[in-house]
Amino acid sequence: MSFEVFEKLENKVQQAIDTIALLQMEIDELKEQNSALSQELQANKSGTESLVRENEQLKQEQETWQERLRTLLGKMEEV
């Protein structure tokens, strides 16, 4: 009878070891995914910052051209 108990215990221990191994593999996969997503996020942040700077520059250029146009229109009205 004690042999059966040890056999059951051994099976449960083996199942626990297998479960732990699977969970460790899953953790490794999730760490890799997390790392890839972090890199993608950083790249997206960098791209977003670049687009924001470009947008601000274009807004300034637009304001400059609008001011020039107003100046020209004002000169035309004087004539």
Side-chain angles (χ1 to χ4, degrees):
M1 179 183 276
S2 109
F3 181 73
E4 292 175 8
V5 172
F6 283 122
E7 194 172 295
K8 287 180 182 180
L9 181 59
E10 182 182 9
N11 287 337
K12 287 184 180 183
V13 168
Q14 188 59 47
Q15 286 177 350
I17 290 171
D18 293 343
T19 301
I20 290 170
L22 288 173
L23 290 173
Q24 285 176 335
M25 288 176 17
E26 186 176 343
I27 286 171
D28 290 341
E29 289 176 14
L30 290 172
K31 284 181 180 179
E32 288 177 15
Q33 288 177 357
N34 189 30
S35 176
L37 289 172
S38 293
Q39 290 175 355
E40 185 179 340
L41 178 62
Q42 189 62 34
N44 286 340
K45 281 183 180 179
S46 177
T48 300
E49 290 170 358
S50 174
L51 289 173
V52 166
R53 283 192 302 271
E54 183 180 357
N55 187 31
E56 288 300 319
Q57 180 183 358
L58 290 171
K59 283 181 180 179
Q60 282 185 331
E61 287 180 24
Q62 180 185 16
E63 289 176 15
T64 300
W65 282 105
Q66 285 177 340
E67 186 58 37
R68 287 181 178 177
L69 182 59
R70 283 189 201 102
T71 302
L72 287 173
L73 290 173
K75 288 180 181 179
M76 288 178 67
E77 287 180 8
E78 291 175 6
V79 174

